[in-house]
Amino acid sequence: MKFDVVDPSDEQAILDEEDTGQEREPEEAPLPPGVHPRLDRASRRMHTRIRADLSILGESLNRLHEHIEIARSRKADEAPAASPPTNFRADAFSRPPTP
């Protein structure tokens, strides 16, 4: 592979030539040196899409949480009081005493 070493000012001049001026809105803050306007636009679009997706995900998770809480409350209210089965051994779940 071969790479050309360029001065940062030359690189910025090349990037400025590629910029048509209509790609960015005039009220936006100027881009830092070396940042291509297309990369900036793509980054802003991706950020907007991620925020939208996260808000939709948050709403879905809130609805799911509400449904789970409703199901838990119904299940607790409707659960009959039953004795444990005859083969249930409560001591099987505890640790043996230490000597």
Side-chain angles (χ1 to χ4, degrees):
M1 292 181 128
K2 180 181 175 184
F3 296 98
D4 292 328
V5 178
V6 296
D7 224 12
S9 59
D10 294 340
E11 184 181 32
Q12 185 61 40
I14 293 170
L15 292 175
D16 289 340
E17 288 174 3
E18 292 176 359
D19 188 10
T20 61
Q22 297 175 348
E23 296 175 354
R24 287 184 31 236
E25 295 179 13
E27 65 268 8
E28 291 181 8
L31 296 175
V35 176
H36 195 277
R38 289 185 203 165
L39 179 62
D40 182 58
R41 271 196 323 276
S43 174
R44 289 176 190 269
R45 275 196 305 263
M46 189 183 319
H47 184 73
T48 302
R49 287 173 43 191
I50 288 173
R51 290 189 83 156
D53 290 346
L54 285 176
S55 68
I56 292 170
L57 177 64
E59 292 170 5
S60 297
L61 289 175
N62 286 336
R63 284 195 307 267
L64 177 63
H65 180 69
E66 289 174 7
H67 288 298
I68 289 172
E69 290 301 318
I70 290 169
R72 281 184 182 167
S73 66
R74 286 180 185 165
K75 187 175 182 180
D77 294 342
E78 297 172 2
S83 60
T86 56
N87 61 351
F88 178 72
R89 296 178 300 150
D91 59 340
F93 298 102
S94 61
R95 293 183 178 177
T98 57

